[in-house]
Amino acid sequence: MEMAAREFQATEELRRDFIANISHDMKTPLTVIKMYAEMIQSISGDNPEKRQEHLEHILREAESLSEFINNSIDLARLQSKTWELKRAGFDIRHLIQSTVELFEIHKELEGFLIFVEAEEGLLAFADRNLISRVLNNLISNAIKFTADKKQIDVRAVKRHGRILVSVKDYGQGIAEEQLPYVWNRYYRVNPHEKNKSGTGLGLHIVKEIIELHGGNYGVESRQGQGSTFWFEVYAWKDRYT
Ligand code: ADP
């Protein structure tokens, strides 16, 4: 009974926290959307060029709002006690390759090269969808924070019964003093950086997912040289035969 009450209280706190965060963070983009819609209505409606510009602002804000809401929902679900990991054995190389395929557009339009290096037949034991989510977040960050050297190396190797997966970029890197904070909820090194949308939730989600799996994770980075984000999952064979 007491335990049920405590759980109820924890869920209530999560719910309150979630609603407070969501409503705070939705306000700014909604204000911007409303402002540009009003501008189209009263000023730029008959001016195709200006109208286009204002519509682009609306679209960008709407996109980041939807990203934010999706991330917040995932996070709330991950942190709720009801989340159940759907662990199964799967080929990590296949998963990496199918996740990398989602970034085809960046390869075609922006000239990114994404190299995959993973042993054949390396089986992980984890929640496939969630690990795909982790890879997705890490690769999209690598793309977002890379300027000139548009190369990303995704590797998977077996190490002491676990699989170590890393995503390396050659982009702007992160200063040493900022490194410990990048996993925090809402943390962004340069929140006002131009043309870089973001919610500061991506790495926090990565952290939550890997912690749920009982794995390790980390980052090595040098400013101006690039970053390597890594995580570990259990290898299927060593753990279960
Ligand atoms: P978001 O990408 O939405 O800003 P994240 O939680 O994914 O949020 O990342 C937090 C911050 O960590 C980013 O805003 C950025 O400053 C820094 N960061 C993450 N990945 C990289 C990377 N590959 N290179 C440089 N900085 C990064």
Side-chain angles (χ1 to χ4, degrees):
M1 187 70 179
E2 206 178 297
M3 215 166 86
R6 239 182 291 138
E7 266 191 23
F8 176 75
Q9 196 181 347
T11 317
E12 263 303 287
E13 268 166 34
L14 262 174
R15 195 182 63 84
R16 244 182 290 134
D17 205 26
F18 175 67
I19 291 173
N21 285 331
I22 272 230
S23 34
H24 174 264
D25 285 273
M26 277 171 62
K27 259 189 203 144
T28 318
L30 276 177
T31 310
V32 177
I33 289 174
K34 189 163 166 258
M35 186 183 83
Y36 280 107
E38 279 167 1
M39 275 163 83
I40 294 173
Q41 197 177 41
S42 58
I43 305 171
S44 60
D46 297 329
N47 177 338
E49 233 169 74
K50 275 266 158 245
R51 191 180 59 215
Q52 186 59 25
E53 191 192 308
H54 291 162
L55 280 171
E56 272 163 24
H57 281 291
I58 292 181
L59 280 175
R60 206 171 324 131
E61 289 298 328
E63 254 163 46
S64 79
L65 197 55
S66 116
E67 189 189 323
F68 170 75
I69 293 171
N70 288 338
N71 281 338
S72 302
I73 292 171
D74 287 350
L75 204 52
R77 289 177 62 206
L78 282 170
Q79 287 172 334
S80 77
K81 298 211 167 68
T82 55
W83 185 275
E84 224 180 279
L85 280 183
K86 294 191 183 72
R87 290 194 209 232
F90 61 87
D91 188 314
I92 193 84
R93 185 190 159 100
H94 291 171
L95 180 70
I96 294 174
Q97 263 157 351
S98 59
T99 313
V100 164
E101 274 165 27
L102 303 174
F103 294 89
E104 208 53 48
I105 187 109
H106 294 276
K107 289 159 90 179
E108 271 174 32
L109 297 183
E110 298 160 49
F112 270 93
L113 293 170
I114 308 182
F115 294 107
V116 176
E117 202 185 303
E119 257 173 65
E120 198 69 59
L122 208 50
L123 293 184
F125 184 72
D127 188 317
R128 195 178 189 278
N129 285 339
L130 289 183
I131 298 302
S132 169
R133 184 66 197 265
V134 166
L135 279 167
N136 202 312
N137 286 1
L138 296 181
I139 297 172
S140 48
N141 276 349
I143 288 176
K144 194 156 68 169
F145 298 104
T146 291
D148 300 330
K149 196 174 175 203
K150 296 182 172 181
Q151 179 182 331
I152 295 165
D153 300 323
V154 189
R155 292 203 176 96
V157 289
K158 200 164 168 188
R159 206 176 65 170
H160 314 304
R162 293 183 182 205
I163 299 173
L164 173 71
V165 183
S166 60
V167 177
K168 181 180 172 77
D169 69 62
Y170 302 83
Q172 65 195 56
I174 303 163
E176 206 182 329
E177 62 273 17
Q178 315 265 15
L179 272 180
Y181 305 109
V182 295
W183 309 97
N184 291 357
R185 207 199 304 209
Y186 302 128
Y187 187 81
R188 299 171 69 197
V189 175
N190 301 304
H192 305 299
E193 203 168 350
K194 255 193 151 181
N195 303 326
K196 287 200 176 41
S197 67
T199 59
L201 286 176
L203 289 179
H204 190 67
I205 290 176
V206 167
K207 167 181 178 287
E208 291 285 331
I209 292 176
I210 301 303
E211 281 178 355
L212 265 181
H213 281 84
N216 296 316
Y217 59 91
V219 54
E220 277 140 38
S221 188
R222 299 270 306 263
Q223 220 169 2
Q225 294 187 17
S227 315
T228 305
F229 282 85
W230 62 268
F231 63 91
E232 284 179 339
V233 286
Y234 284 111
W236 163 259
K237 258 193 142 178
D238 286 4
R239 194 162 154 83
Y240 289 93
T241 54

